[in-house]
């Protein structure tokens, strides 16, 4: 049963499940070897829970579970193969895949692609994300609960059997529903509204009718941009299907994004080993199957703008975009490569175009609808209470921009005073801490400071 200890956060209760130790590590539960490669099984009252640490060995099982489950675009095997392949070998990251099945009939309830890492002496469970995944979610099986009581029962089983050596849980950017079904992790009483929303456009079957619905000004502006671009010799829009060419285009995107971040006086972090490996693995494994899509505006062999995304049936999710900068600003190449990509992909069956997380003007100009997301940031023992309190305060401030700006101004004043004082020694803020809200660095349109990656 869940205690009623409230930790902080608007609309969020941070609770300690009974049975966890008030300090130090929780007592380990006995584990029995399971039939799946590298899996361990525990059996709480309502669920049979498997804990797996070897993604490569378990990946075929994940694929098989996907046939009976509802999932999001970032929970398919091709995405997780690339993610765990890029990050799982890092010393500070422990893969942890948790699968819960109904104890009575063995039907799948949920499967969670997680990691465990250490920070400030605490062991923290997170989704396999590192700021590269826009929407974190479980696989939802037929036994997934759809009410708050059932969700709490499932959560207690997951914590007791799969997270008993963890101090703190940070499950962020979770959709409240998947495939029309409620996400049980979003039904918990201690979740809070995420600082960012998703953004999606649904065009319907008639793409031209959707374009006209955007209004004359927006439509004519994009038509003008296309005419200006096409005046250049050998200008063209292309979908890139060759892996080597796509990898070359990715290298151009990295240079364009790095240049843009330098112009903004910000740190570019997508050139670090983990993200670089991840995107290359993603393209190499997914481009040929159509799971990964890369498009570009090109002129005389130069990449003027490029867009990288993933396709999930009729849904296309944009994950990375870049353009050549001020020299081409008269044709708005960023917006233009998006619109041309939408028109092309609509012709091959896409009807939903997901712009990912982050609130930017160029997304609003396409008429996006928001996708509400929630966070579950929970202390599992008393050692983690200060971190939970701090996280709750940060979440609250991010939902109150004026107070957030005042708080950041106050901290900036303190840092400036400390630098002037010979005795004062205040560490500079982390890259992520300087944000008004978390922002994916892969979005070129961003003028905010990117968060630190794994």
């Amino acid at each position: 049963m869940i205690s009623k200890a409230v930790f902080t956060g608007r609309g969020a209760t941070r609770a300690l499940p009974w049975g966890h130790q008030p300090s130090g590590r929780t007592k380990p539960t006995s584990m029995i070897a399971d039939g799946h490669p590298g899996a361990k099984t525990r059996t709480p009252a309502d669920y049979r829970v498997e804990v797996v640490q070897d993604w490569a060995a378990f990946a075929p099982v994940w694929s098989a579970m996907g046939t009976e489950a509802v999932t999001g675009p970032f929970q398919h095997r091709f995405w997780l193969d690339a993610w765990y392949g890029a990050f799982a070998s890092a010393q500070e990251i422990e893969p942890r895949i948790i699968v819960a099945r109904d104890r009575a009939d063995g039907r799948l309830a949920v499967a969670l692609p997680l990691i465990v890492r250490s920070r400030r002496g605490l062991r923290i469970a997170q989704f396999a994300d590192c700021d590269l995944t826009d929407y974190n979610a479980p696989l939802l099986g037929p036994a997934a609960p759809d009410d708050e009581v059932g969700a709490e029962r499932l959560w207690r089983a997951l914590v007791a059997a799969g997270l008993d050596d963890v101090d703190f849980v940070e499950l962020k950017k979770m959709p409240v529903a998947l495939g029309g079904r409620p996400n049980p992790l979003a039904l918990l009483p201690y979740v809070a509204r995420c600082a960012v929303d998703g953004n999606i456009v649904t065009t319907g079957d008639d793409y031209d009718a959707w374009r006209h619905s955007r209004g004359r000004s927006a439509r004519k502006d994009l038509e003008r941009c296309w005419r200006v671009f096409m005046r250049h010799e050998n200008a063209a829009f292309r979908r890139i299907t060759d892996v080597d060419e796509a990898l070359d285009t990715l290298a151009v995107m990295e240079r364009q994004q790095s240049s843009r971040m330098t112009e903004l006086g910000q740190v570019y972090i997508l050139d670090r080993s983990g993200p670089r490996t991840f995107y290359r693995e993603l393209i190499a494994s997914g481009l040929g199957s159509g799971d990964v899509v890369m498009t570009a505006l090109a002129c005389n062999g130069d990449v003027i703008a490029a867009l990288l995304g993933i396709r999930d049936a009729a849904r296309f999710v944009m994950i990375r975009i870049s353009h050549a900068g001020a020299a081409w600003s008269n044709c708005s190449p960023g917006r233009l490569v998006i619109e041309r990509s939408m028109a092309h992909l609509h012709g091959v069956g896409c009807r939903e175009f997901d712009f990912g997380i982050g609130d930017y003007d160029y997304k609003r100009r396409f008429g996006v609808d928001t996708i509400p997301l929630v966070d579950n940031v929970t202390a599992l023992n008393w050692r983690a209470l200060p971190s939970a309190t701090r996280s709750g305060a940060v979440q609250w401030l991010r939902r109150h921009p004026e107070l957030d700006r005042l708080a950041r101004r106050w901290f900036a004043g303190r840092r400036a005073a400390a630098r002037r004082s010979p005795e004062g020694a205040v560490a500079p803020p982390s890259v992520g801490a300087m944000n008004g809200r978390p922002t994916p660095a892969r979005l070129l349109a961003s003028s905010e400071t990117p968060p630190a990656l794994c």
Side-chain angles (χ1 to χ4, degrees):
M1 147 170 217
I2 301 293
S3 75
K4 296 183 179 179
V6 178
F7 294 168
T8 56
R10 173 186 166 198
T13 307
R14 306 289 195 265
L16 293 176
W18 293 114
H20 283 272
Q21 305 301 303
S23 63
R25 297 283 177 257
T26 56
K27 295 180 179 179
T29 306
S30 61
M31 304 178 78
I32 305 170
D34 185 74
H36 293 317
K40 301 293 182 181
T41 303
R42 301 164 180 169
T43 308
D46 300 299
Y47 293 94
R48 177 174 173 268
V49 179
E50 301 171 25
V51 181
V52 182
Q53 293 182 309
D54 185 346
W55 167 258
F58 193 72
V61 180
W62 185 274
S63 294
M65 290 191 301
T67 62
E68 62 172 321
V70 175
T71 186
F74 295 95
Q75 286 70 53
H76 290 294
R77 179 179 172 179
F78 75 91
W79 181 273
L80 294 172
D81 273 344
W83 197 97
Y84 282 111
F87 291 102
S89 60
Q91 186 175 1
E92 70 276 12
I93 291 178
E94 303 172 20
R96 183 164 302 187
I97 299 91
I98 303 177
V99 180
R101 295 183 178 276
D102 187 280
R103 185 181 181 185
D105 57 22
R107 292 182 305 152
L108 177 68
V110 296
L112 299 174
L114 305 181
I115 60 171
V116 175
R117 62 195 309 183
S118 295
R119 187 174 68 205
R120 302 189 189 98
L122 299 176
R123 286 176 59 76
I124 301 170
Q126 302 170 326
F127 279 108
D129 178 356
C130 287
D131 296 311
L132 299 179
T133 300
D134 278 5
Y135 308 127
N136 291 304
L139 293 184
L140 288 188
D146 57 5
D147 60 81
E148 292 183 7
V149 174
E152 287 202 50
R153 187 179 297 118
L154 172 63
W155 179 245
R156 287 197 299 271
L158 294 171
V159 170
L163 300 171
D164 61 324
D165 62 338
V166 168
D167 302 303
F168 191 48
V169 173
E170 286 184 341
L171 303 183
K172 296 186 174 183
K173 297 182 295 182
M174 296 188 294
V176 298
L178 293 167
R181 295 177 57 190
N183 177 0
L185 300 184
L187 294 174
L188 298 169
Y190 26 89
V191 300
R193 182 69 181 263
C194 184
V196 294
D197 293 323
N199 299 274
I200 195 167
V201 166
T202 303
T203 61
D205 291 334
D206 190 334
Y207 186 76
D208 197 52
W210 172 80
R211 284 198 316 114
H212 279 76
S213 74
R214 298 309 310 137
R216 177 183 173 84
S217 176
R219 184 179 74 255
K220 291 295 183 182
D221 184 45
L222 280 170
E223 290 173 354
R224 178 196 64 80
C225 289
W226 180 243
R227 289 195 302 272
V228 170
F229 175 70
M230 291 302 293
R231 287 173 191 157
H232 293 83
E233 187 177 0
N234 298 321
F237 166 82
R238 302 182 57 242
R239 177 172 177 176
I240 300 169
T241 56
D242 178 75
V243 171
D244 289 337
E245 184 182 358
L247 292 174
D248 290 341
T249 303
L250 177 64
V252 175
M253 293 181 76
E254 290 172 335
R255 292 194 294 271
Q256 290 176 345
Q257 289 184 313
S258 178
S259 175
R260 174 61 172 160
M261 299 302 281
T262 300
E263 287 177 13
L264 297 172
Q266 298 173 0
V267 179
Y268 182 65
I269 55 183
L270 291 181
D271 58 352
R272 295 178 182 174
S273 173
R276 280 176 58 85
T277 301
F278 166 75
Y279 284 113
R280 281 158 177 76
E281 289 292 330
L282 189 70
I283 288 172
S285 64
L287 194 73
S289 64
D291 293 321
V292 174
V293 176
M294 177 173 275
T295 56
L297 298 176
C299 183
N300 292 321
D302 294 329
V303 175
I304 309 305
L307 177 64
L308 179 65
I310 58 176
R311 182 174 178 180
D312 181 19
R315 182 178 181 183
F316 173 67
V317 186
M318 305 171 206
I319 60 175
R320 199 164 176 179
I321 185 171
S322 74
H323 62 76
W328 291 85
S329 60
N330 64 339
C331 63
S332 300
R335 285 193 300 127
L336 190 57
V337 74
I338 291 174
E339 194 280 328
R340 291 290 83 197
S341 299
M342 290 175 65
H344 165 74
L345 290 168
H346 188 277
V348 294
C350 288
R351 297 295 181 265
E352 294 180 327
F353 298 89
D354 195 320
F355 286 66
I357 61 173
D359 180 21
Y360 303 112
D361 178 67
Y362 78 92
K363 298 182 183 183
R364 292 191 292 272
R365 293 173 75 173
F366 280 93
V368 296
D369 295 317
T370 58
I371 302 172
L373 305 174
V374 296
D375 298 337
N376 176 0
V377 180
T378 305
L380 299 184
N381 59 46
W382 298 111
R383 296 176 68 249
L385 277 174
S387 293
T389 302
R390 177 185 178 279
S391 180
V394 169
Q395 285 180 322
W396 187 85
L397 279 173
R398 285 172 176 167
R399 289 189 293 272
H400 297 80
E402 291 297 327
L403 292 176
D404 185 38
R405 280 191 286 272
L406 287 173
R408 284 186 286 139
R409 194 176 304 147
W410 183 79
F411 280 111
R414 288 197 62 189
R415 288 192 295 271
R419 284 192 292 269
R420 289 193 298 269
S421 169
E423 295 84 11
V426 178
S430 67
V431 171
M434 296 173 65
N435 282 342
R437 58 179 178 267
T439 303
R442 60 191 182 279
L443 296 176
L444 182 66
S446 170
S447 61
E448 299 179 77
T449 307
L453 294 175
C454 293

